[in-house]
Amino acid sequence: MGGAVSAGEDNDELIDNLKEAQYIRTELVEQAFRAVDRADYYLEEFKDNAYKDLAWKHGNIHLSAPCIYSEVMEALDLQPGLSFLNLGSGTGYLSSMVGLILGPFGVNHGVELHSDVIEYAKQKLDFFIKTSDSFDKFEFCEPSFVTGNCLEISPDCTQYDRVYCGAGVQKEHEDYMKNLLKVGGILVMPLEEKLTKITRTGPSAWETKKILAVSFAPLIQPNHADSGKSRLVHLPPVAVRSLQDLARIAIRGTIKKIIHQEAMSKNGNGLKNPPRFKRRRVRRRRMETIVFLDKEVFASRISNPSDDNNNSEDIEDERQEEEETKPSELKPDPPVNFLREKVLSLPLPDPLKYYLLYYREK
């Protein structure tokens, strides 16, 4: 069966559809989804499916459906400076989007069982940092990944503000997951076939909310057959940034403010995203209550029956819109990386310019 929303032709259209279906509801989450192209986390031969609202799995590599990640991002209630732990971090797609919101003073850690997936995630992270213009539009909290079973995290590890688990959690492991949270923190995980949000309101107090019916593959239990001993997973240390790194963050922030002020004085409305070309109308389709996505299943939203009566009107409106936009529809100019241009124009030694740009290729 199909996904919860229509397939998009590109990343922006996929996000448009997720917004239309109310899976993406806040501006911060929308910005993060638009900034990280989902197709970049697919193997080249499977990229045709990247903008469908479907899960994807190839060997150990796995991506959940976009609507699932949308619900997770919204439920986590992310803010700059928080600490985040991603259990079953996979390709790093979710961790990268989270890192754009956490900013330079957040903490972004991931635990992944399969070492080959860790290598894949590191390659994708490196590609994002070196080539994506989104990197210069945000201050990024770079994720750090470690290999291991997330049920064997060292008991002396630090607690986190936000935790997500990307595999089905058995009831007997619920308390283990809760103990990874700071007071005031939020845990999102599939528990008893429901995507569940748990907020730690006190040392022994919790609030639980069921978000969505889902079906994830269960957590893999630790295997001690070889040595008989637990292989503790030691999470990355929370490092203090160097003065050099803090200076780079401050300088880049100052340059961004200058660019914004220059734009405001020039056109009076600041830096805004250039208007996108008018997209085709997204019509809500009548959906079945249960949607199967690879190993994931969830309750989809059901469109209003009256929507079906408007199909012919929508088709006619869409045809008119296409006719109106045809004469003026030209290929858009590539977006300008204002931060890069400003840094390169400064009277500074080249090594310092490249340092301020993180030695990025673009």
Side-chain angles (χ1 to χ4, degrees):
M1 297 179 68
V5 301
S6 302
E9 294 180 4
D10 56 26
N11 197 65
D12 272 328
E13 192 167 303
L14 171 62
I15 308 314
D16 290 344
N17 294 345
L18 290 168
K19 282 188 65 183
E20 174 79 13
Q22 288 294 301
Y23 284 104
I24 293 178
R25 301 178 288 278
T26 59
E27 186 177 351
L28 269 180
V29 171
E30 178 185 352
Q31 288 175 348
F33 267 84
R34 292 198 190 278
V36 182
D37 195 321
R38 182 174 168 89
D40 289 342
Y41 291 79
Y42 276 66
L43 292 169
E44 194 65 36
E45 60 267 35
F46 299 104
K47 285 190 175 183
D48 288 346
N49 295 318
Y51 306 122
K52 297 177 181 177
D53 190 27
L54 298 170
W56 173 63
K57 192 175 191 312
H58 182 78
N60 292 326
I61 302 170
H62 179 260
L63 278 167
S64 292
C67 62
I68 297 293
Y69 283 133
S70 306
E71 290 288 5
V72 169
M73 290 278 285
E74 293 286 358
L76 284 170
D77 189 20
L78 297 160
Q79 301 165 36
L82 296 181
S83 56
F84 171 66
L85 177 61
N86 189 355
L87 302 174
S89 51
T91 66
Y93 172 63
L94 177 66
S95 292
S96 291
M97 290 194 291
V98 169
L100 295 173
I101 298 177
L102 296 183
F105 304 112
V107 174
N108 194 356
H109 293 164
V111 179
E112 169 57 44
L113 182 63
H114 304 288
S115 58
D116 60 325
V117 180
I118 289 276
E119 289 306 310
Y120 185 84
K122 288 179 178 177
Q123 291 171 15
K124 295 303 179 183
L125 175 62
D126 187 57
F127 179 80
F128 172 74
I129 291 174
K130 287 183 176 178
T131 66
S132 174
D133 279 333
S134 295
F135 183 84
D136 285 331
K137 295 175 183 175
F138 296 80
E139 292 297 341
F140 187 49
C141 182
E142 186 174 333
S144 299
F145 305 112
V146 296
T147 307
N149 190 307
C150 65
L151 293 174
E152 296 184 298
I153 293 174
S154 175
D156 61 356
C157 79
T158 184
Q159 292 177 316
Y160 290 79
D161 297 302
R162 301 290 186 267
V163 177
Y164 170 64
C165 181
V169 177
Q170 296 86 348
K171 187 66 178 175
E172 61 265 29
H173 297 308
E174 180 179 355
D175 288 341
Y176 170 90
M177 295 293 177
K178 287 178 175 179
N179 286 329
L180 296 171
L181 273 186
K182 294 178 181 178
V183 173
I186 295 173
L187 163 67
V188 178
M189 63 181 177
L191 180 68
E192 296 183 314
E193 298 191 340
K194 297 284 193 304
L195 189 64
T196 304
K197 175 181 179 178
I198 299 175
T199 305
R200 187 169 194 169
T201 57
S204 302
W206 316 85
E207 288 181 358
T208 301
K209 178 183 178 182
K210 304 294 184 182
I211 302 171
L212 200 67
V214 295
S215 180
F216 279 60
L219 283 171
I220 295 176
Q221 302 300 307
N223 182 4
H224 304 147
D226 295 337
S227 61
K229 294 182 181 179
S230 175
R231 299 171 181 170
L232 289 181
V233 176
H234 296 280
L235 296 171
V238 178
V240 177
R241 287 189 176 273
S242 68
L243 288 175
Q244 190 179 44
D245 202 19
L246 291 172
R248 172 164 59 183
I249 292 166
I251 293 169
R252 283 168 63 91
T254 300
I255 294 173
K256 286 179 182 178
K257 287 179 183 177
I258 292 170
I259 294 170
H260 181 72
Q261 290 167 358
E262 289 176 349
M264 285 190 68
S265 63
K266 183 176 179 181
N267 53 35
N269 59 2
L271 276 177
K272 291 185 177 180
N273 290 328
R276 295 207 305 270
F277 289 106
K278 192 175 289 186
R279 296 187 179 279
R280 62 178 174 78
R281 183 185 297 271
V282 179
R283 296 192 302 275
R284 293 188 180 184
R285 299 178 301 165
R286 196 165 183 79
M287 306 299 299
E288 299 293 336
T289 304
I290 301 297
V291 176
F292 294 88
L293 304 177
D294 193 12
K295 292 188 177 180
E296 300 176 10
V297 62
F298 63 93
S300 68
R301 292 172 173 77
I302 302 176
S303 61
N304 191 319
S306 63
D307 289 347
D308 295 336
N309 299 330
N310 295 328
N311 274 354
S312 59
E313 184 181 338
D314 285 345
I315 292 170
E316 179 61 25
D317 288 347
E318 183 179 331
R319 185 186 64 78
Q320 274 189 321
E321 284 179 2
E322 287 177 352
E323 287 179 357
E324 289 170 5
T325 55
K326 269 181 186 177
S328 60
E329 197 168 282
L330 300 173
K331 194 171 183 180
D333 293 329
V336 178
N337 188 327
F338 293 101
L339 178 67
R340 180 178 179 83
E341 287 196 349
K342 179 66 78 173
V343 170
L344 292 176
S345 70
L346 293 174
L348 298 172
D350 284 347
L352 181 53
K353 291 180 183 178
Y354 299 145
Y355 178 74
L356 289 174
L357 295 171
Y358 287 87
Y359 304 99
R360 283 161 44 75
E361 294 175 357
K362 288 181 66 176

